[in-house]
């Protein structure tokens, strides 16, 4: 089974993906640290395709990339593609969303995750998009997770991403849903 190079320098992300994709038989590897890719796409899927194909072409190996973010309806889809850059720290980013929604009746939002696998020649072999609908809470709640987790409430469970266990979050999160859609495609490629 060939290796899949992950378009991340973050060993945590690699370990998480490896755990989810273990039973597909693919072995995951970190991208070479000197490879930096600009995210110039206009959608999450475009950005994931861009990252994966550049890594594949540079390494000559199969590659996988993800791109994800939070879209808030009353903020016209912001922070969207700028989720990671919406402020200098998680606290600032969260505060900016809460401030932007002050006095707003509509607190609906969704998280999106796009995952793309490309062949060594840079062509797309598999892709999936997972969406988790929810609503922005009035204030942060919970200690788990990262990023916007404390203000993303999932009505189905009556709690925020940050109040869920890792297993619960995996089952219903945007990333979990994208992985579930990608897995059968990936297994078929092997
Ligand atoms: P990426 O690493 O370029 O995909 O950026 C994703 C950004 O979206 C992160 O920096 C977070 O701010 C946000 N994000 C994506 N997924 C999650 C999640 O599961 N919980 C909280 N924030 C997330």
């Amino acid at each position: 089974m060939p290796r899949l190079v992950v378009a991340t320098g973050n060993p945590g992300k690699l370990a998480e993906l490896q755990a989810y994709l273990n039973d597909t038989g693919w072995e995951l590897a970190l991208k070479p640290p000197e490879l930096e890719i600009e995210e110039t796409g206009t959608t999450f899927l475009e950005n994931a395709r861009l990252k994966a194909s550049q890594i594949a072409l540079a390494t000559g190996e199969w590659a996988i990339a993800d791109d994800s973010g939070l879209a808030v309806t009353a903020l016209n889809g912001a922070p969207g593609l700028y989720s990671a850059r919406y402020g200098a720290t998680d606290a600032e980013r969260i505060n900016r969303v809460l401030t932007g929604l002050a006095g707003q009746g509509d607190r609906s939002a969704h998280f999106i995750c796009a995952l793309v696998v490309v062949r060594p020649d840079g062509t797309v072999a598999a892709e999936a998009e997972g969406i988790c609908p929810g609503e922005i809470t009035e204030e942060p709640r919970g200690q788990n997770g990262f990023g916007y987790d404390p203000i993303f409430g999932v009505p189905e469970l009556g709690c925020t991403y940050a109040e869920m266990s890792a297993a619960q979050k995996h089952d219903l999160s945007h990333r979990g849903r994208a992985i579930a859609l990608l897995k059968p495609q990936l297994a078929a490629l092997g």
Side-chain angles (χ1 to χ4, degrees):
M1 182 73 69
R3 290 195 325 164
L4 251 188
V5 180
V6 186
T8 182
N10 179 344
K13 208 176 212 179
L14 174 80
E16 192 193 72
L17 261 181
Q18 180 76 73
Y20 293 151
L21 298 177
N22 242 348
D23 48 352
T24 61
W26 288 80
E27 182 201 333
L28 272 54
L30 277 182
K31 77 169 171 67
E34 66 280 6
L35 265 181
E36 281 301 332
I37 291 127
E38 274 198 65
E39 299 184 13
T40 53
T42 56
T43 63
F44 293 103
L45 208 48
E46 261 180 47
N47 272 339
R49 284 183 194 136
L50 210 83
K51 287 191 267 189
S53 61
Q54 290 188 36
I55 298 286
L57 289 172
T59 59
E61 297 193 70
W62 288 74
I64 183 169
D66 77 332
D67 199 43
S68 58
L70 173 69
V72 181
T73 312
L75 300 180
N76 299 317
L81 292 175
Y82 302 98
S83 293
R85 293 162 275 169
Y86 205 52
T89 61
D90 278 345
E92 274 185 39
R93 289 185 277 271
I94 282 179
N95 202 34
R96 190 165 167 196
V97 172
L98 292 180
T99 308
L101 281 183
Q104 286 280 356
D106 180 6
R107 303 188 71 89
S108 66
H110 58 274
F111 261 115
I112 304 175
C113 174
L115 276 169
V116 176
V117 174
V118 305
R119 304 180 184 89
D121 67 1
T123 56
V124 172
E127 59 186 28
E129 199 166 56
I131 294 179
C132 181
E135 55 193 36
I136 303 302
T137 52
E138 295 287 341
E139 51 196 39
R141 293 193 335 239
Q143 305 296 325
N144 304 332
F146 68 100
Y148 299 93
D149 280 356
I151 57 166
F152 188 74
V154 179
E156 229 174 299
L157 288 194
C159 61
T160 66
Y161 267 4
E163 291 173 314
M164 293 177 194
S165 67
Q168 278 176 320
K169 185 178 169 190
H170 174 59
D171 276 351
L172 57 69
S173 76
H174 52 305
R175 196 166 294 99
R177 290 176 196 208
I179 288 170
L181 292 171
L182 189 80
K183 257 179 114 161
Q185 300 179 53
L186 205 50
L189 288 171

